[in-house]
């Protein structure tokens, strides 16, 4: 099965899983990327009445608007019952690396604001140890070099993602070669470097449910 077909299948499985939480009075959160896009497509095709969604990026907001799904402000919704989003890597404890699409900061905010975080991916994203995918770090432009040096001190090899400005007006450093034996401690250490907005480790607030599409089935971890 192609990767695109797996993304669609896992999005359908996520929709079935959360559909009882979707109605005309309940806000939901929706992430960014090709798998999250499949979820938006499935949601729109269902024609189910939805109050609206908090979007983790301008790209997701555009897709939701295209389907006529209302955009909601997280400051007005309060806690969201569910957030559905993809990931670049997921480990057996449901810790994640996110930010391949440069939306990590809003993704982390919405994940934190949600009662349940359902992560959806194809099975190529499942790893024993996080770190094969370079770890994205969102950085205030003034601090790019300072943060880069601090990331080298932490054992990484940061690479400036050329030509990318995040929805928040910041830059991305992709950190290669990081040893991520203790994702939560590393997340906290990186987030404490002055100039870091946030890093793409989701370990302090991991996923609650991970749905993975394999060639045959949908695998569920929680
Ligand atoms: C965006 C993300 C995405 O969830 C991640 O990059 C996965 O994307 P895709 O579903 O296209 O593989 O973190 O910032």
């Amino acid at each position: 099965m192609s990767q695109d077909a797996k993304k669609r299948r896992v999005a359908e499985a996520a929709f079935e899983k959360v559909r009882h939480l979707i109605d005309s009075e309940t806000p939901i959160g929706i992430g960014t990327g090709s798998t999250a896009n499949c979820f938006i497509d499935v949601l729109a095709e269902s024609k189910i009445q939805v109050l609206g969604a908090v979007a983790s990026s301008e790209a997701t907001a555009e897709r939701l608007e295209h389907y006529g799904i209302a955009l909601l402000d997280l400051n007005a919704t309060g806690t969201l019952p569910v957030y559905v989003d993809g990931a670049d890597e997921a480990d057996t404890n449901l810790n994640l690396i996110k930010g391949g699409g440069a939306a990590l900061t809003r993704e982390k905010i919405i994940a934190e604001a949600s009662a349940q975080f359902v992560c959806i991916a194809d099975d190529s994203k499942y790893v024993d140890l996080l770190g094969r995918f370079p770890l994205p770090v969102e950085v205030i432009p003034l601090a790019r070099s300072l943060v880069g040096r601090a990331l080298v001190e932490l054992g990484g090899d940061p690479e400036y993602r050329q030509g990318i400005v995040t929805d928040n007006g910041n830059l991305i450093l992709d950190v290669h070669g990081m040893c991520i034996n203790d994702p939560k401690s590393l997340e906290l250490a990186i987030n404490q470097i002055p100039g870091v907005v946030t890093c793409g480790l989701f370990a302090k607030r991991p996923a609650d449910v991970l749905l993975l599409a394999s060639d045959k089935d949908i695998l569920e971890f929680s």
Side-chain angles (χ1 to χ4, degrees), residues 8-42:
R8 172 75 194 198
R9 276 195 59 203
V10 79
E12 288 168 354
F15 177 73
E16 286 310 317
K17 185 158 191 69
V18 305
R19 107 182 270 159
H20 67 285
L21 296 170
I22 302 176
D23 59 40
S24 57
E25 289 167 17
T26 312
I28 59 169
I30 302 186
T32 296
S34 53
T35 321
N37 282 346
C38 288
F39 180 78
I40 297 171
D41 296 344
V42 173

PDB file of all heavy atoms in Angstrom, residues 8-42:
ATOM      1  N   ARG A   8      -4.425   8.148   4.334  1.00  0.00           N
ATOM      2  CA  ARG A   8      -5.883   8.266   4.222  1.00  0.00           C
ATOM      3  C   ARG A   8      -6.561   7.260   5.162  1.00  0.00           C
ATOM      4  O   ARG A   8      -7.519   7.600   5.860  1.00  0.00           O
ATOM      5  CB  ARG A   8      -6.264   8.017   2.751  1.00  0.00           C
ATOM      6  CG  ARG A   8      -7.746   7.911   2.490  1.00  0.00           C
ATOM      7  CD  ARG A   8      -8.442   9.251   2.541  1.00  0.00           C
ATOM      8  NE  ARG A   8      -9.883   9.039   2.606  1.00  0.00           N
ATOM      9  CZ  ARG A   8     -10.795   9.951   2.328  1.00  0.00           C
ATOM     10  NH1 ARG A   8     -10.453  11.174   2.005  1.00  0.00           N
ATOM     11  NH2 ARG A   8     -12.067   9.686   2.424  1.00  0.00           N
ATOM     12  N   ARG A   9      -6.048   6.039   5.192  1.00  0.00           N
ATOM     13  CA  ARG A   9      -6.688   5.015   6.035  1.00  0.00           C
ATOM     14  C   ARG A   9      -6.595   5.364   7.509  1.00  0.00           C
ATOM     15  O   ARG A   9      -7.545   5.184   8.280  1.00  0.00           O
ATOM     16  CB  ARG A   9      -6.024   3.651   5.797  1.00  0.00           C
ATOM     17  CG  ARG A   9      -6.596   2.955   4.591  1.00  0.00           C
ATOM     18  CD  ARG A   9      -6.211   1.500   4.565  1.00  0.00           C
ATOM     19  NE  ARG A   9      -6.665   0.773   5.736  1.00  0.00           N
ATOM     20  CZ  ARG A   9      -6.130  -0.354   6.183  1.00  0.00           C
ATOM     21  NH1 ARG A   9      -5.114  -0.888   5.580  1.00  0.00           N
ATOM     22  NH2 ARG A   9      -6.615  -0.954   7.238  1.00  0.00           N
ATOM     23  N   VAL A  10      -5.451   5.882   7.928  1.00  0.00           N
ATOM     24  CA  VAL A  10      -5.303   6.206   9.352  1.00  0.00           C
ATOM     25  C   VAL A  10      -6.158   7.420   9.710  1.00  0.00           C
ATOM     26  O   VAL A  10      -6.687   7.526  10.829  1.00  0.00           O
ATOM     27  CB  VAL A  10      -3.813   6.350   9.748  1.00  0.00           C
ATOM     28  CG1 VAL A  10      -3.222   7.690   9.349  1.00  0.00           C
ATOM     29  CG2 VAL A  10      -3.623   6.092  11.233  1.00  0.00           C
ATOM     30  N   ALA A  11      -6.330   8.329   8.751  1.00  0.00           N
ATOM     31  CA  ALA A  11      -7.211   9.484   8.990  1.00  0.00           C
ATOM     32  C   ALA A  11      -8.661   9.016   9.149  1.00  0.00           C
ATOM     33  O   ALA A  11      -9.396   9.513  10.017  1.00  0.00           O
ATOM     34  CB  ALA A  11      -7.090  10.473   7.832  1.00  0.00           C
ATOM     35  N   GLU A  12      -9.049   8.045   8.333  1.00  0.00           N
ATOM     36  CA  GLU A  12     -10.421   7.505   8.460  1.00  0.00           C
ATOM     37  C   GLU A  12     -10.597   6.822   9.820  1.00  0.00           C
ATOM     38  O   GLU A  12     -11.628   6.979  10.478  1.00  0.00           O
ATOM     39  CB  GLU A  12     -10.684   6.497   7.332  1.00  0.00           C
ATOM     40  CG  GLU A  12     -10.849   7.165   5.975  1.00  0.00           C
ATOM     41  CD  GLU A  12     -10.828   6.180   4.803  1.00  0.00           C
ATOM     42  OE1 GLU A  12     -10.580   4.974   5.027  1.00  0.00           O
ATOM     43  OE2 GLU A  12     -11.046   6.620   3.669  1.00  0.00           O
ATOM     44  N   ALA A  13      -9.558   6.088  10.239  1.00  0.00           N
ATOM     45  CA  ALA A  13      -9.631   5.400  11.535  1.00  0.00           C
ATOM     46  C   ALA A  13      -9.727   6.421  12.675  1.00  0.00           C
ATOM     47  O   ALA A  13     -10.483   6.230  13.637  1.00  0.00           O
ATOM     48  CB  ALA A  13      -8.407   4.512  11.722  1.00  0.00           C
ATOM     49  N   ALA A  14      -8.986   7.507  12.546  1.00  0.00           N
ATOM     50  CA  ALA A  14      -9.038   8.550  13.590  1.00  0.00           C
ATOM     51  C   ALA A  14     -10.422   9.185  13.632  1.00  0.00           C
ATOM     52  O   ALA A  14     -10.975   9.455  14.708  1.00  0.00           O
ATOM     53  CB  ALA A  14      -7.974   9.610  13.321  1.00  0.00           C
ATOM     54  N   PHE A  15     -10.974   9.411  12.452  1.00  0.00           N
ATOM     55  CA  PHE A  15     -12.311  10.009  12.415  1.00  0.00           C
ATOM     56  C   PHE A  15     -13.320   9.103  13.132  1.00  0.00           C
ATOM     57  O   PHE A  15     -14.129   9.582  13.940  1.00  0.00           O
ATOM     58  CB  PHE A  15     -12.748  10.268  10.972  1.00  0.00           C
ATOM     59  CG  PHE A  15     -14.136  10.815  10.879  1.00  0.00           C
ATOM     60  CD1 PHE A  15     -14.407  12.122  11.257  1.00  0.00           C
ATOM     61  CD2 PHE A  15     -15.183  10.014  10.457  1.00  0.00           C
ATOM     62  CE1 PHE A  15     -15.703  12.621  11.211  1.00  0.00           C
ATOM     63  CE2 PHE A  15     -16.478  10.505  10.407  1.00  0.00           C
ATOM     64  CZ  PHE A  15     -16.737  11.817  10.785  1.00  0.00           C
ATOM     65  N   GLU A  16     -13.243   7.797  12.842  1.00  0.00           N
ATOM     66  CA  GLU A  16     -14.163   6.861  13.525  1.00  0.00           C
ATOM     67  C   GLU A  16     -13.963   6.921  15.034  1.00  0.00           C
ATOM     68  O   GLU A  16     -14.918   6.865  15.810  1.00  0.00           O
ATOM     69  CB  GLU A  16     -13.936   5.423  13.024  1.00  0.00           C
ATOM     70  CG  GLU A  16     -14.474   5.167  11.637  1.00  0.00           C
ATOM     71  CD  GLU A  16     -15.934   5.629  11.467  1.00  0.00           C
ATOM     72  OE1 GLU A  16     -16.742   5.383  12.376  1.00  0.00           O
ATOM     73  OE2 GLU A  16     -16.245   6.267  10.448  1.00  0.00           O
ATOM     74  N   LYS A  17     -12.705   7.033  15.438  1.00  0.00           N
ATOM     75  CA  LYS A  17     -12.391   7.021  16.874  1.00  0.00           C
ATOM     76  C   LYS A  17     -12.927   8.258  17.596  1.00  0.00           C
ATOM     77  O   LYS A  17     -13.323   8.190  18.753  1.00  0.00           O
ATOM     78  CB  LYS A  17     -10.871   6.919  17.041  1.00  0.00           C
ATOM     79  CG  LYS A  17     -10.454   6.772  18.461  1.00  0.00           C
ATOM     80  CD  LYS A  17      -9.087   6.170  18.631  1.00  0.00           C
ATOM     81  CE  LYS A  17      -8.867   5.808  20.088  1.00  0.00           C
ATOM     82  NZ  LYS A  17      -9.693   4.708  20.538  1.00  0.00           N
ATOM     83  N   VAL A  18     -12.898   9.400  16.933  1.00  0.00           N
ATOM     84  CA  VAL A  18     -13.255  10.651  17.630  1.00  0.00           C
ATOM     85  C   VAL A  18     -14.632  11.184  17.226  1.00  0.00           C
ATOM     86  O   VAL A  18     -15.053  12.209  17.746  1.00  0.00           O
ATOM     87  CB  VAL A  18     -12.182  11.750  17.419  1.00  0.00           C
ATOM     88  CG1 VAL A  18     -10.810  11.260  17.843  1.00  0.00           C
ATOM     89  CG2 VAL A  18     -12.147  12.260  15.993  1.00  0.00           C
ATOM     90  N   ARG A  19     -15.315  10.476  16.341  1.00  0.00           N
ATOM     91  CA  ARG A  19     -16.544  11.063  15.802  1.00  0.00           C
ATOM     92  C   ARG A  19     -17.569  11.355  16.909  1.00  0.00           C
ATOM     93  O   ARG A  19     -18.339  12.310  16.792  1.00  0.00           O
ATOM     94  CB  ARG A  19     -17.088  10.192  14.669  1.00  0.00           C
ATOM     95  CG  ARG A  19     -18.301   9.368  14.921  1.00  0.00           C
ATOM     96  CD  ARG A  19     -18.672   8.528  13.732  1.00  0.00           C
ATOM     97  NE  ARG A  19     -19.587   9.238  12.857  1.00  0.00           N
ATOM     98  CZ  ARG A  19     -19.776   8.950  11.587  1.00  0.00           C
ATOM     99  NH1 ARG A  19     -19.095   8.000  11.017  1.00  0.00           N
ATOM    100  NH2 ARG A  19     -20.655   9.610  10.888  1.00  0.00           N
ATOM    101  N   HIS A  20     -17.555  10.561  17.983  1.00  0.00           N
ATOM    102  CA  HIS A  20     -18.506  10.810  19.081  1.00  0.00           C
ATOM    103  C   HIS A  20     -18.219  12.140  19.787  1.00  0.00           C
ATOM    104  O   HIS A  20     -19.053  12.624  20.547  1.00  0.00           O
ATOM    105  CB  HIS A  20     -18.484   9.654  20.096  1.00  0.00           C
ATOM    106  CG  HIS A  20     -17.195   9.542  20.854  1.00  0.00           C
ATOM    107  ND1 HIS A  20     -16.032   9.048  20.299  1.00  0.00           N
ATOM    108  CD2 HIS A  20     -16.882   9.878  22.131  1.00  0.00           C
ATOM    109  CE1 HIS A  20     -15.072   9.090  21.201  1.00  0.00           C
ATOM    110  NE2 HIS A  20     -15.552   9.585  22.320  1.00  0.00           N
ATOM    111  N   LEU A  21     -17.040  12.707  19.534  1.00  0.00           N
ATOM    112  CA  LEU A  21     -16.690  13.988  20.161  1.00  0.00           C
ATOM    113  C   LEU A  21     -16.962  15.169  19.232  1.00  0.00           C
ATOM    114  O   LEU A  21     -16.747  16.324  19.599  1.00  0.00           O
ATOM    115  CB  LEU A  21     -15.197  13.990  20.525  1.00  0.00           C
ATOM    116  CG  LEU A  21     -14.762  12.969  21.570  1.00  0.00           C
ATOM    117  CD1 LEU A  21     -13.240  12.912  21.667  1.00  0.00           C
ATOM    118  CD2 LEU A  21     -15.361  13.330  22.927  1.00  0.00           C
ATOM    119  N   ILE A  22     -17.398  14.869  18.022  1.00  0.00           N
ATOM    120  CA  ILE A  22     -17.569  15.948  17.040  1.00  0.00           C
ATOM    121  C   ILE A  22     -19.047  16.238  16.854  1.00  0.00           C
ATOM    122  O   ILE A  22     -19.822  15.373  16.453  1.00  0.00           O
ATOM    123  CB  ILE A  22     -16.939  15.551  15.680  1.00  0.00           C
ATOM    124  CG1 ILE A  22     -15.454  15.229  15.864  1.00  0.00           C
ATOM    125  CG2 ILE A  22     -17.118  16.667  14.662  1.00  0.00           C
ATOM    126  CD1 ILE A  22     -14.774  14.728  14.611  1.00  0.00           C
ATOM    127  N   ASP A  23     -19.423  17.467  17.167  1.00  0.00           N
ATOM    128  CA  ASP A  23     -20.807  17.880  16.931  1.00  0.00           C
ATOM    129  C   ASP A  23     -20.857  19.401  16.809  1.00  0.00           C
ATOM    130  O   ASP A  23     -19.818  20.066  16.832  1.00  0.00           O
ATOM    131  CB  ASP A  23     -21.739  17.349  18.035  1.00  0.00           C
ATOM    132  CG  ASP A  23     -21.335  17.841  19.407  1.00  0.00           C
ATOM    133  OD1 ASP A  23     -20.949  19.024  19.526  1.00  0.00           O
ATOM    134  OD2 ASP A  23     -21.377  17.060  20.366  1.00  0.00           O
ATOM    135  N   SER A  24     -22.045  19.920  16.701  1.00  0.00           N
ATOM    136  CA  SER A  24     -22.196  21.346  16.404  1.00  0.00           C
ATOM    137  C   SER A  24     -21.939  22.237  17.618  1.00  0.00           C
ATOM    138  O   SER A  24     -22.035  23.459  17.516  1.00  0.00           O
ATOM    139  CB  SER A  24     -23.601  21.599  15.862  1.00  0.00           C
ATOM    140  OG  SER A  24     -24.536  21.152  16.819  1.00  0.00           O
ATOM    141  N   GLU A  25     -21.605  21.609  18.752  1.00  0.00           N
ATOM    142  CA  GLU A  25     -21.357  22.430  19.948  1.00  0.00           C
ATOM    143  C   GLU A  25     -19.954  22.264  20.508  1.00  0.00           C
ATOM    144  O   GLU A  25     -19.605  22.891  21.506  1.00  0.00           O
ATOM    145  CB  GLU A  25     -22.370  22.049  21.039  1.00  0.00           C
ATOM    146  CG  GLU A  25     -23.759  22.533  20.694  1.00  0.00           C
ATOM    147  CD  GLU A  25     -24.822  21.917  21.586  1.00  0.00           C
ATOM    148  OE1 GLU A  25     -24.482  21.387  22.647  1.00  0.00           O
ATOM    149  OE2 GLU A  25     -25.988  21.975  21.190  1.00  0.00           O
ATOM    150  N   THR A  26     -19.154  21.394  19.881  1.00  0.00           N
ATOM    151  CA  THR A  26     -17.874  21.034  20.488  1.00  0.00           C
ATOM    152  C   THR A  26     -16.700  21.429  19.589  1.00  0.00           C
ATOM    153  O   THR A  26     -16.637  21.002  18.432  1.00  0.00           O
ATOM    154  CB  THR A  26     -17.831  19.505  20.729  1.00  0.00           C
ATOM    155  OG1 THR A  26     -19.053  19.127  21.366  1.00  0.00           O
ATOM    156  CG2 THR A  26     -16.668  19.118  21.607  1.00  0.00           C
ATOM    157  N   PRO A  27     -15.770  22.215  20.124  1.00  0.00           N
ATOM    158  CA  PRO A  27     -14.593  22.572  19.322  1.00  0.00           C
ATOM    159  C   PRO A  27     -13.601  21.410  19.286  1.00  0.00           C
ATOM    160  O   PRO A  27     -13.534  20.627  20.241  1.00  0.00           O
ATOM    161  CB  PRO A  27     -13.993  23.749  20.098  1.00  0.00           C
ATOM    162  CG  PRO A  27     -14.384  23.508  21.521  1.00  0.00           C
ATOM    163  CD  PRO A  27     -15.724  22.804  21.481  1.00  0.00           C
ATOM    164  N   ILE A  28     -12.856  21.306  18.205  1.00  0.00           N
ATOM    165  CA  ILE A  28     -11.776  20.313  18.147  1.00  0.00           C
ATOM    166  C   ILE A  28     -10.494  21.006  17.677  1.00  0.00           C
ATOM    167  O   ILE A  28     -10.543  22.127  17.152  1.00  0.00           O
ATOM    168  CB  ILE A  28     -12.107  19.133  17.206  1.00  0.00           C
ATOM    169  CG1 ILE A  28     -12.372  19.614  15.777  1.00  0.00           C
ATOM    170  CG2 ILE A  28     -13.297  18.337  17.732  1.00  0.00           C
ATOM    171  CD1 ILE A  28     -12.446  18.488  14.759  1.00  0.00           C
ATOM    172  N   GLY A  29      -9.375  20.321  17.849  1.00  0.00           N
ATOM    173  CA  GLY A  29      -8.094  20.843  17.372  1.00  0.00           C
ATOM    174  C   GLY A  29      -7.596  19.996  16.215  1.00  0.00           C
ATOM    175  O   GLY A  29      -7.737  18.774  16.244  1.00  0.00           O
ATOM    176  N   ILE A  30      -7.029  20.649  15.211  1.00  0.00           N
ATOM    177  CA  ILE A  30      -6.506  19.911  14.048  1.00  0.00           C
ATOM    178  C   ILE A  30      -5.108  20.414  13.703  1.00  0.00           C
ATOM    179  O   ILE A  30      -4.854  21.627  13.648  1.00  0.00           O
ATOM    180  CB  ILE A  30      -7.441  20.036  12.829  1.00  0.00           C
ATOM    181  CG1 ILE A  30      -8.843  19.511  13.185  1.00  0.00           C
ATOM    182  CG2 ILE A  30      -6.859  19.249  11.644  1.00  0.00           C
ATOM    183  CD1 ILE A  30      -9.820  19.455  12.035  1.00  0.00           C
ATOM    184  N   GLY A  31      -4.225  19.451  13.469  1.00  0.00           N
ATOM    185  CA  GLY A  31      -2.817  19.756  13.240  1.00  0.00           C
ATOM    186  C   GLY A  31      -2.478  20.043  11.791  1.00  0.00           C
ATOM    187  O   GLY A  31      -3.352  20.395  10.989  1.00  0.00           O
ATOM    188  N   THR A  32      -1.194  19.851  11.489  1.00  0.00           N
ATOM    189  CA  THR A  32      -0.636  20.294  10.208  1.00  0.00           C
ATOM    190  C   THR A  32       0.097  19.151   9.525  1.00  0.00           C
ATOM    191  O   THR A  32       0.707  18.321  10.194  1.00  0.00           O
ATOM    192  CB  THR A  32       0.342  21.457  10.478  1.00  0.00           C
ATOM    193  OG1 THR A  32      -0.402  22.544  11.025  1.00  0.00           O
ATOM    194  CG2 THR A  32       1.046  21.927   9.220  1.00  0.00           C
ATOM    195  N   GLY A  33       0.052  19.149   8.192  1.00  0.00           N
ATOM    196  CA  GLY A  33       0.809  18.158   7.428  1.00  0.00           C
ATOM    197  C   GLY A  33      -0.113  17.327   6.549  1.00  0.00           C
ATOM    198  O   GLY A  33      -1.335  17.482   6.578  1.00  0.00           O
ATOM    199  N   SER A  34       0.480  16.432   5.794  1.00  0.00           N
ATOM    200  CA  SER A  34      -0.305  15.669   4.824  1.00  0.00           C
ATOM    201  C   SER A  34      -1.268  14.700   5.501  1.00  0.00           C
ATOM    202  O   SER A  34      -2.367  14.456   4.980  1.00  0.00           O
ATOM    203  CB  SER A  34       0.620  14.921   3.856  1.00  0.00           C
ATOM    204  OG  SER A  34       1.558  14.151   4.577  1.00  0.00           O
ATOM    205  N   THR A  35      -0.904  14.142   6.642  1.00  0.00           N
ATOM    206  CA  THR A  35      -1.808  13.203   7.325  1.00  0.00           C
ATOM    207  C   THR A  35      -2.959  13.967   7.984  1.00  0.00           C
ATOM    208  O   THR A  35      -4.120  13.548   7.905  1.00  0.00           O
ATOM    209  CB  THR A  35      -1.026  12.361   8.352  1.00  0.00           C
ATOM    210  OG1 THR A  35       0.255  12.013   7.817  1.00  0.00           O
ATOM    211  CG2 THR A  35      -1.782  11.090   8.712  1.00  0.00           C
ATOM    212  N   ALA A  36      -2.637  15.088   8.615  1.00  0.00           N
ATOM    213  CA  ALA A  36      -3.699  15.929   9.181  1.00  0.00           C
ATOM    214  C   ALA A  36      -4.624  16.426   8.059  1.00  0.00           C
ATOM    215  O   ALA A  36      -5.847  16.523   8.254  1.00  0.00           O
ATOM    216  CB  ALA A  36      -3.089  17.111   9.943  1.00  0.00           C
ATOM    217  N   ASN A  37      -4.050  16.720   6.893  1.00  0.00           N
ATOM    218  CA  ASN A  37      -4.893  17.131   5.758  1.00  0.00           C
ATOM    219  C   ASN A  37      -5.897  16.044   5.388  1.00  0.00           C
ATOM    220  O   ASN A  37      -7.062  16.337   5.071  1.00  0.00           O
ATOM    221  CB  ASN A  37      -4.031  17.455   4.530  1.00  0.00           C
ATOM    222  CG  ASN A  37      -3.383  18.828   4.633  1.00  0.00           C
ATOM    223  OD1 ASN A  37      -3.760  19.639   5.471  1.00  0.00           O
ATOM    224  ND2 ASN A  37      -2.406  19.078   3.785  1.00  0.00           N
ATOM    225  N   CYS A  38      -5.429  14.781   5.425  1.00  0.00           N
ATOM    226  CA  CYS A  38      -6.362  13.670   5.124  1.00  0.00           C
ATOM    227  C   CYS A  38      -7.499  13.664   6.146  1.00  0.00           C
ATOM    228  O   CYS A  38      -8.660  13.417   5.786  1.00  0.00           O
ATOM    229  CB  CYS A  38      -5.636  12.330   5.176  1.00  0.00           C
ATOM    230  SG  CYS A  38      -4.523  12.057   3.802  1.00  0.00           S
ATOM    231  N   PHE A  39      -7.159  13.939   7.402  1.00  0.00           N
ATOM    232  CA  PHE A  39      -8.212  13.965   8.429  1.00  0.00           C
ATOM    233  C   PHE A  39      -9.224  15.075   8.127  1.00  0.00           C
ATOM    234  O   PHE A  39     -10.441  14.880   8.258  1.00  0.00           O
ATOM    235  CB  PHE A  39      -7.596  14.152   9.821  1.00  0.00           C
ATOM    236  CG  PHE A  39      -8.629  14.181  10.908  1.00  0.00           C
ATOM    237  CD1 PHE A  39      -9.205  13.007  11.379  1.00  0.00           C
ATOM    238  CD2 PHE A  39      -9.060  15.386  11.446  1.00  0.00           C
ATOM    239  CE1 PHE A  39     -10.184  13.023  12.355  1.00  0.00           C
ATOM    240  CE2 PHE A  39     -10.041  15.421  12.426  1.00  0.00           C
ATOM    241  CZ  PHE A  39     -10.606  14.237  12.886  1.00  0.00           C
ATOM    242  N   ILE A  40      -8.731  16.230   7.696  1.00  0.00           N
ATOM    243  CA  ILE A  40      -9.643  17.331   7.351  1.00  0.00           C
ATOM    244  C   ILE A  40     -10.547  16.900   6.187  1.00  0.00           C
ATOM    245  O   ILE A  40     -11.760  17.155   6.192  1.00  0.00           O
ATOM    246  CB  ILE A  40      -8.850  18.604   6.979  1.00  0.00           C
ATOM    247  CG1 ILE A  40      -8.032  19.094   8.184  1.00  0.00           C
ATOM    248  CG2 ILE A  40      -9.790  19.704   6.490  1.00  0.00           C
ATOM    249  CD1 ILE A  40      -7.056  20.216   7.847  1.00  0.00           C
ATOM    250  N   ASP A  41      -9.962  16.237   5.212  1.00  0.00           N
ATOM    251  CA  ASP A  41     -10.753  15.775   4.061  1.00  0.00           C
ATOM    252  C   ASP A  41     -11.859  14.818   4.523  1.00  0.00           C
ATOM    253  O   ASP A  41     -13.017  14.946   4.108  1.00  0.00           O
ATOM    254  CB  ASP A  41      -9.861  15.058   3.041  1.00  0.00           C
ATOM    255  CG  ASP A  41      -8.822  15.983   2.419  1.00  0.00           C
ATOM    256  OD1 ASP A  41      -8.970  17.213   2.533  1.00  0.00           O
ATOM    257  OD2 ASP A  41      -7.857  15.469   1.824  1.00  0.00           O
ATOM    258  N   VAL A  42     -11.489  13.865   5.370  1.00  0.00           N
ATOM    259  CA  VAL A  42     -12.467  12.875   5.843  1.00  0.00           C
ATOM    260  C   VAL A  42     -13.569  13.578   6.642  1.00  0.00           C
ATOM    261  O   VAL A  42     -14.764  13.293   6.474  1.00  0.00           O
ATOM    262  CB  VAL A  42     -11.765  11.795   6.706  1.00  0.00           C
ATOM    263  CG1 VAL A  42     -12.790  10.867   7.345  1.00  0.00           C
ATOM    264  CG2 VAL A  42     -10.786  10.991   5.862  1.00  0.00           C
TER     265      VAL A  42
END
